[in-house]
Amino acid sequence: LAVPRPPGVHQYLAHSMIGGKQTDRTDMWRGVEVVREFFKDTQGLYHEITEKITHWKQLASETKDFRTASYFLRYDREGKMRMMSMRSTSYEQGLSPRLDALVKKIHRKVGITDADHGAGIYWFSDGDASVGR
């Protein structure tokens, strides 16, 4: 099933160079469905997850030159490399039973049956960022 590139996704995001060959990445996009009260046992879950996960990755902040598609690192006024406010890690089963239950519920809803299916977790510690922005 081919997934069409959503409106607003620029051409440079839909293709990448892998092994010297241009690769179509439009199959990685999946529609987003927002469901209210999908998971109700959320009291304190945010703090539970952010405290139990200790191996967050934080990358250097970068920007893209749209004319050349080159990436450039960002620096602050003192000349220090700026870090992204977004942190990420891989989901590991067993750190939080409630998170495990939520991931299982999501997998059932979207039809993922592969037990080794990778999932990522994003943490925007300053509350001032988003994925895809």
Side-chain angles (χ1 to χ4, degrees):
L1 173 67
V3 178
R5 181 166 42 102
V9 175
H10 300 290
Q11 190 65 27
Y12 76 90
L13 290 175
H15 294 86
S16 66
M17 296 296 285
I18 298 175
K21 296 171 71 177
Q22 187 175 25
T23 305
D24 184 3
R25 296 184 345 170
T26 54
D27 61 341
M28 69 179 271
W29 300 100
R30 183 185 288 237
V32 175
E33 178 183 0
V34 177
V35 179
R36 294 191 185 276
E37 298 185 6
F38 179 74
F39 192 73
K40 296 182 181 185
D41 185 18
T42 59
Q43 185 70 28
L45 184 59
Y46 173 85
H47 293 293
E48 179 182 327
I49 293 168
T50 56
E51 289 171 5
K52 286 186 176 182
I53 296 175
T54 59
H55 51 278
W56 294 101
K57 296 177 202 145
Q58 188 175 19
L59 300 175
S61 182
E62 57 187 23
T63 188
K64 188 167 191 164
D65 181 341
F66 292 100
R67 293 169 295 152
T68 63
S70 298
Y71 284 100
F72 296 95
L73 296 177
R74 292 183 177 177
Y75 296 87
D76 64 14
R77 292 182 182 185
E78 288 80 37
K80 295 180 188 171
M81 189 172 18
R82 285 179 49 193
M83 301 302 285
M84 293 178 134
S85 61
M86 179 188 84
R87 296 175 184 166
S88 64
T89 189
S90 296
Y91 164 71
E92 291 181 29
Q93 190 172 3
L95 288 176
S96 168
R98 292 189 299 157
L99 180 60
D100 294 343
L102 175 57
V103 170
K104 285 180 186 175
K105 187 172 182 178
I106 292 169
H107 282 188
R108 279 194 306 273
K109 171 121 176 97
V110 298
I112 296 172
T113 57
D114 181 7
D116 295 327
H117 174 71
I121 300 174
Y122 294 109
W123 176 25
F124 302 96
S125 56
D126 66 359
D128 192 30
S130 65
V131 173
R133 187 165 108 182

